[in-house]
Amino acid sequence: MVLKTSSDLGEVTIANGVIADIAGAVATRCYGVVGMASRNKKDGIVNLLRPDSMSKGISINVENDGVVAEIHLIVEYGININTVCKSIVNRVRYIIESAVGIKVNRVNVKVEGVRVD
C-alpha cells in the first residue's frame, strides 16, 4: 500500500518502505536500542536484524487520514524500557510528520528481547 497526497501542483506517492526506513533509522538512534528485531512466525524465534535490513522489523499501515507504525526492537539490558519506548514514539512521530508531511496516528513499539553483554 502506498500513501498518496495531492495538491494543485501535482501528486506525491510515498511507498510504505520509505516511511519504514525513516522510522527504523530514527528508532535505532535512540538511547538503549540495540537494533530492530524480526520474529520467525513458525518458530517464534527473535532475530537481530542487520542495519541494511532494519525495515523488516517495522510495519506501516495506512489509515484514512494517516499512518500507523509498528516497531519491533531489541533493547539493552539495564535501561528503563518504558522511557526508551516513549522516546521512540515521540521521535518517530515528530520526524515522520516533519520529513514526510503526513499525520502519524499511532506508533506501537514492541520490545522483542533484551541484550545482555
Side-chain angles (χ1 to χ4, degrees):
M1 213 174 182
V2 295
L3 181 70
K4 293 183 180 183
T5 58
S6 60
S7 68
D8 55 343
L9 297 175
E11 186 175 281
V12 176
T13 303
I14 303 170
N16 287 356
V18 173
I19 299 170
D21 286 339
I22 293 170
V26 171
T28 54
R29 287 189 180 99
C30 287
Y31 177 78
V33 175
V34 174
M36 305 308 295
S38 171
R39 181 180 289 268
N40 182 344
K41 297 194 190 296
K42 179 181 170 188
D43 299 330
I45 298 172
V46 175
N47 296 320
L48 181 65
L49 295 173
R50 293 186 316 252
D52 59 341
S53 62
M54 73 176 110
S55 64
K56 290 181 182 176
I58 299 174
S59 66
I60 303 292
N61 295 317
V62 178
E63 290 186 346
N64 51 2
D65 60 346
V67 296
V68 174
E70 186 169 297
I71 302 172
H72 300 266
L73 49 86
I74 297 174
V75 296
E76 189 72 38
Y77 175 77
I79 54 115
N80 187 329
I81 296 173
N82 189 32
T83 303
V84 170
C85 291
K86 285 180 183 179
S87 173
I88 292 169
V89 168
N90 292 330
R91 289 185 65 190
V92 167
R93 174 174 280 139
Y94 173 75
I95 295 296
I96 290 176
E97 287 180 351
S98 64
V100 182
I102 58 171
K103 183 177 184 235
V104 177
N105 293 338
R106 283 189 322 271
V107 178
N108 300 323
V109 179
K110 297 189 177 189
V111 178
E112 300 291 347
V114 176
R115 183 178 76 176
V116 179
D117 284 333

